[in-house]
């Protein structure tokens, strides 16, 4: 799995360990954790995640422009490989190209908008026709996913959206951010009731795959299977 905009490796933590987001909130709210120096926190996190690691965790390659975040994910064992890349500006490095060529899944949770279809196009250029990985995205409702879907289509991947379902991403930082989000939704004709007007960004779920995979298992059935097999763990976001 290649995780775009991976930050410190939260997605990797949820997928590789027997954890939910609530577990992570409790872990990092602990007063004892807040008092630790950086190296002490890294040692504590390494033990925390190792004790909860699943028997057969996926291999996760994390991609981000933040060197400290990627390095921390590597240090505590959440990322198997971490690469500091900016594909908005540059082509993927040979190391990233090699990782993507072996990937089964590319994910990005909340990062569309920070990165655009330019990054996705460059990334998928590293894959081979007939061996395209699945592409899963949680995209803020304030961001138009259409350019990314069009790019995925050029690479032979058909995008499905999980209809009538959104997930909260995070609370608004301030009134200015909330007003910006509401204005963006109004411009798209989207109703914020019960979602953004309650104080949180919400995301849509998109899954892009080869058409024959969609015919075999539409998005609803795939996510049902994933939810049941994860013992109730939430979607990362």
């Amino acid at each position: 799995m290649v995780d775009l905009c991976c930050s410190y490796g939260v997605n990797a933590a949820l997928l590789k360990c027997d954890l939910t987001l609530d577990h992570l909130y409790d872990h990092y709210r602990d007063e004892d954790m807040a008092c630790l120096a950086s190296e002490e926190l890294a040692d504590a996190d390494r033990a925390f995640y190792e004790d909860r690691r699943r028997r057969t965790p996926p291999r996760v390659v994390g991609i981000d422009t933040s060197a400290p975040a990627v390095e921390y994910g590597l240090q505590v064992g959440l990322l198997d490989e971490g690469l500091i890349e900016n594909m908005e500006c540059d082509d993927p490095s040979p190391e990233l190209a090699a990782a993507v060529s072996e990937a089964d899944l590319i994910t990005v949770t909340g990062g569309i908008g920070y990165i655009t279809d330019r990054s996705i196009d460059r990334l998928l250029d590293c894959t081979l026709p007939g061996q395209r990985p699945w592409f899963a995205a949680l995209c803020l409702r304030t961001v138009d996913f259409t350019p990314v879907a069009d790019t995925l289509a050029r690479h032979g991947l058909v995008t499905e959206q999980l209809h009538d379902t959104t997930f909260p991403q995070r609370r608004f930082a301030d009134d200015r951010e909330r007003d910006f989000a509401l204005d963006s939704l109004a411009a798209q004709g989207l109703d914020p009731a019960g979602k953004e007007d309650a104080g949180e960004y919400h995301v849509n779920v998109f899954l892009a795959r080869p058409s024959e995979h969609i015919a075999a298992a539409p998005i609803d059935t795939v996510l049902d299977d994933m939810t049941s097999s994860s013992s109730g763990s939430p979607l990362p976001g």
Side-chain angles (χ1 to χ4, degrees), residues 46-57:
R46 191 181 303 108
F48 176 79
Y49 291 121
E50 183 60 35
D51 287 345
R52 293 158 178 81
R53 191 173 297 272
R54 299 182 189 275
R55 289 184 180 180
T56 55

Side-chain angles (χ1 to χ4, degrees), residues 3-8 62-67 69-70 83-86:
D3 188 25
L4 302 177
C5 305
C6 68
S7 188
Y8 293 90
I63 313 299
D64 205 286
T65 58
S66 171
V70 171
L83 298 165
I84 302 151
E85 309 252 353
N86 185 344

Side-chain angles (χ1 to χ4, degrees), residues 66-226:
S66 171
V70 171
E71 289 165 1
Y72 194 84
L74 289 168
Q75 188 176 4
V76 302
L78 291 177
L79 301 178
D80 298 287
E81 185 177 353
L83 298 165
I84 302 151
E85 309 252 353
N86 185 344
M87 289 177 290
E88 290 296 295
C89 300
D90 303 307
D91 288 332
S93 67
E95 292 80 11
L96 178 52
V100 174
S101 70
E102 298 176 353
D104 299 303
L105 175 67
I106 298 171
T107 59
V108 55
T109 57
I112 301 298
Y114 297 103
I115 62 173
T116 69
D117 54 297
R118 181 184 301 110
S119 290
I120 308 306
D121 193 33
R122 284 173 163 162
L123 196 66
L124 290 176
D125 277 341
C126 302
T127 64
L128 298 174
Q131 299 180 19
R132 304 291 193 202
W134 288 15
F135 184 95
L138 303 187
C139 180
L140 292 175
R141 297 207 313 149
T142 55
V143 177
D144 183 7
F145 193 74
T146 303
V148 174
D150 290 344
T151 295
L152 293 166
R154 290 198 299 273
H155 288 273
L157 298 176
V158 179
T159 298
E160 292 178 287
Q161 179 179 347
L162 188 62
H163 289 291
D164 300 322
T165 303
T166 65
F167 292 91
Q169 179 79 357
R170 65 169 174 83
R171 292 189 297 271
F172 294 123
D174 50 35
D175 289 341
R176 180 180 178 182
E177 191 174 64
R178 178 180 181 274
D179 291 344
F180 173 80
L182 294 177
D183 288 345
S184 297
L185 294 170
Q188 298 179 65
L190 298 177
D191 183 1
K195 298 181 173 69
E196 291 82 6
D197 70 353
E200 294 180 308
Y201 278 116
H202 271 247
V203 294
N204 291 313
V205 179
F206 297 95
L207 181 62
R209 297 172 289 162
S211 58
E212 62 271 20
H213 293 180
I214 293 175
I219 185 172
D220 291 341
T221 62
V222 170
L223 293 180
D224 285 344
D225 290 343
M226 289 175 64

